[in-house]
Amino acid sequence: MRRLVRSALLAAIILVTGCLAAACVQSASGATTSPSPSAPATATAPSSPSPPPPSPTPSTASTPAAPTTAAPTTPASSSPESSSGFSLNLIWLWIILGAVVLVVIIVLATRSPGRSDQAVLWRSRTAHTYEQGGAFDSAVREGERQGAFLDPDGAAWHHIQNRAHDLTEALYILREEALTEGQRAQVEDTLAALQAVRYALDAQVAPGAAGAQQSETLHARLAALESSLNALRVPNDPLQ
């Protein structure tokens, strides 16, 4: 998860840097290609014709005036101030977009783990607890074959008690880390089933209490404990 966040953050930084570089290049190219104002063309008036030589007979007609030409109008060119202002606004737009992307990435990187991560951790915990329950069940059945209930001070009996203690501690941790009330209730049921097995074990080691009926009760409670542990390992809630 952390590696994925770091990769996303690096990609965002590269993206923002590229966008800013592209904006700067676009601004520079816009500044170099902006048309320069052209000087208005001036039209030269044609030279007036030379006066005709004087005639011997005076003429009464007046000489026509020389025609004048109007100066052509030049089209207005786009001002460099408007193009530079547009480029500056574009740069600020890219900067704002890059800042927003960085803020989103930082928020995603610093927030708490999602529900999917918590569900994975819960499944890992319950699988480990199920394995401890299997080890406890094997220790009880093996101790029964070895006559551990006839010698409460023997190594087999102490091994059974150690397995029961480890399973109890694991269930206590699960109860503290439960994500929902349903999970907590399942852990409570499993703790009750484990406590019932321990009561049956204590009844087995009581003087003169060992018998077929006590053995059947112990096996039935072991089966109930296994069912409770399996319910923890394979939850019915699709959101977990």
Side-chain angles (χ1 to χ4, degrees), residues 155-215:
W157 176 255
H158 286 293
H159 179 65
I160 292 173
Q161 294 300 316
N162 289 335
R163 291 295 187 183
H165 176 75
D166 294 341
L167 180 57
T168 303
E169 290 296 324
L171 288 172
Y172 283 155
I173 294 175
L174 277 182
R175 185 174 63 181
E176 295 298 325
E177 296 181 353
L179 303 177
T180 63
E181 291 297 330
Q183 291 177 346
R184 189 172 291 106
Q186 286 180 328
V187 176
E188 292 288 350
D189 292 342
T190 308
L191 280 170
L194 175 59
Q195 190 63 37
V197 173
R198 302 191 73 169
Y199 286 153
L201 288 173
D202 293 338
Q204 284 279 50
V205 298
Q213 184 177 1
Q214 293 292 341
S215 179

Side-chain angles (χ1 to χ4, degrees), residues 56-112:
T57 307
S59 174
T60 58
S62 61
T63 305
T68 58
T69 58
T73 59
T74 59
S77 60
S78 59
S79 62
E81 288 81 4
S82 60
S83 60
S84 62
F86 175 76
S87 301
L88 183 61
N89 292 336
L90 186 60
I91 292 176
W92 276 110
L93 177 61
W94 283 113
I95 291 176
I96 293 173
L97 290 177
V100 171
V101 171
L102 287 179
V103 169
V104 171
I105 294 297
I106 292 173
V107 170
L108 292 177
T110 56
R111 71 175 184 176
S112 60

